[in-house]
Amino acid sequence: MGRFDFVTLKLFVSVADEGRLTAAAEREHLALAAASKRISDLEAQLDTVLLYRRPRGVELTPAGHAFLHHARKILENIERLQADLSEYGTGIRGHVRIHSNTSAIIAFLPEDLSTFSQRYPQIKLDLQERVSSEAISALREGLTDIGIFAGHVPCDGLQVLPYRSDRLVLVTPMNHAFAGRESLYLEEAADEDFIGLQQDSSLQDLLHEHTSRAGKTLHMRIQVRSFDAICRMIHHGMGIGVLPEQTIYRELGDLQLCSIPLSDAWATRETVIGMRQYDALPVTARHLVDHLTGRPND
């Protein structure tokens, strides 16, 4: 049967995932012609057709499905091998890639990553701020070791562990009619002008989803890219907004804002840590996951 190279195995898995050779080639950073030749050479080597070529993409043949199962196992075993061998270096060193949503970066990660770095000073942390959907995509594409994102966002095929929870609050100027309320439901404020995040944020999707279920529509007057920008717009009377409570403690005093807890059950959100598979993570990444989740490690 000959030898298989890992680049071709990864390419075949990507073809199966994407359903199109073009998309798989882009995902694996290969030229389309080179990717096509690799798949053709693989089929010739096996003397078996692995893919049905269709006008709009490709489908796995029965042999292709069997090959995919073994290809995934081989790649998983390679990841585990790398993870196990990484423990035999001089001390625990290396780097961990993290993609996290803004809420966790503001509210939780500074303290948690600081204490981790004090314990493991030789581990470099590469943290990038992303919306939840982007963090999940990065995990699936192997661009990050762990992702931190909102627990309500679909993440099929990934392993997730609970991290933290936060509560959403309505933020208004101090002189707003809602400022004296102890709590309220979001639908009660649906007729107001809102300041929100860009469309692809998980928070924005959550607000629109539950407002729609209540038969209401949020009027988004302005959409910006940061919590700080939302607070400044609210301070200047441009509207009101919904933000995670633990991300605005400083702005409440500095900008003279008021926060009113939302009574909706969904307003208490879970933040999770996602990964493709815990056991396949490098030892450095496993130590970080253990630290963030309170799991014991040696």
Side-chain angles (χ1 to χ4, degrees):
M1 188 174 288
R3 297 179 178 179
F4 302 119
D5 66 90
F6 299 129
V7 174
T8 301
L9 289 180
K10 287 186 65 180
L11 173 63
F12 184 81
V13 171
S14 293
V15 171
D17 290 342
E18 300 289 346
R20 293 189 305 117
L21 188 57
T22 303
E26 291 177 356
R27 175 169 155 180
E28 299 302 326
H29 308 290
L30 295 171
L32 178 59
S36 180
K37 186 175 188 305
R38 280 183 175 273
I39 296 299
S40 296
D41 288 349
L42 176 63
E43 290 179 316
Q45 181 181 347
L46 295 171
D47 193 23
T48 304
V49 177
L50 300 176
L51 300 172
Y52 295 122
R53 276 72 171 176
R54 309 293 192 196
R56 296 185 178 180
V58 296
E59 296 178 14
L60 296 181
T61 66
H65 282 288
F67 187 83
L68 175 65
H69 170 75
H70 291 287
R72 290 193 192 278
K73 289 294 184 183
I74 291 170
L75 294 174
E76 287 174 6
N77 286 336
I78 291 297
E79 288 185 345
R80 288 178 180 174
L81 173 62
Q82 292 172 334
D84 290 343
L85 290 180
S86 68
E87 298 188 48
Y88 293 96
T90 304
I92 298 175
R93 63 179 67 223
H95 77 281
V96 184
R97 300 168 299 169
I98 315 157
H99 283 203
S100 172
N101 65 7
T102 304
S103 299
I105 286 178
I106 295 175
F108 311 123
L109 282 176
E111 181 179 358
D112 288 346
L113 295 185
S114 175
T115 54
F116 179 82
S117 293
Q118 291 171 23
R119 183 175 182 183
Y120 300 104
Q122 292 180 303
I123 297 179
K124 177 184 176 182
L125 301 177
D126 177 5
L127 173 63
Q128 296 190 34
E129 183 176 349
R130 295 288 186 269
V131 298
S132 291
S133 59
E134 291 173 341
I136 291 169
S137 295
L139 279 172
R140 288 176 172 152
E141 294 172 13
L143 302 178
T144 187
D145 298 307
I146 68 174
I148 300 175
F149 47 87
H152 68 270
V153 181
C155 56
D156 296 344
L158 298 178
Q159 183 178 353
V160 297
L161 296 171
Y163 177 40
R164 296 291 187 89
S165 62
D166 62 14
R167 181 174 63 169
L168 297 176
V169 296
L170 186 73
V171 181
T172 72
M174 292 292 290
N175 60 355
H176 193 276
F178 290 140
R181 296 281 298 271
E182 292 186 1
S183 64
L184 52 71
Y185 290 92
L186 179 62
E187 64 182 275
E188 297 179 64
D191 294 332
E192 299 281 327
D193 288 333
F194 273 78
I195 314 297
L197 294 174
Q198 68 269 31
Q199 290 288 355
D200 56 352
S201 75
S202 62
L203 174 56
Q204 209 60 32
D205 290 342
L206 183 68
L207 297 180
H208 284 299
E209 176 188 350
H210 288 284
T211 306
S212 177
R213 288 183 182 179
K216 301 278 189 174
T217 301
L218 286 185
H219 174 227
M220 301 306 304
R221 186 179 188 185
I222 300 173
Q223 289 183 270
V224 293
R225 297 191 62 85
S226 71
F227 293 157
D228 179 67
I230 292 176
C231 290
R232 292 185 180 279
M233 288 289 180
I234 295 171
H235 170 70
H236 288 286
M238 299 302 295
I240 62 177
V242 174
L243 292 169
E245 184 176 36
Q246 296 190 58
T247 67
I248 58 169
Y249 61 92
R250 186 171 53 193
E251 284 79 2
L252 291 178
D254 292 348
L255 298 177
Q256 297 183 322
L257 302 177
C258 180
S259 69
I260 304 101
L262 291 178
S263 301
D264 306 85
W266 51 264
T268 298
R269 304 189 309 165
E270 297 300 322
T271 300
V272 298
I273 297 176
M275 63 218 82
R276 284 186 290 176
Q277 190 173 18
Y278 175 85
D279 291 339
L281 286 174
V283 65
T284 51
R286 292 204 302 268
H287 278 298
L288 178 58
V289 171
D290 293 344
H291 180 81
L292 296 178
T293 60
R295 292 158 60 103
N297 60 57
D298 296 330

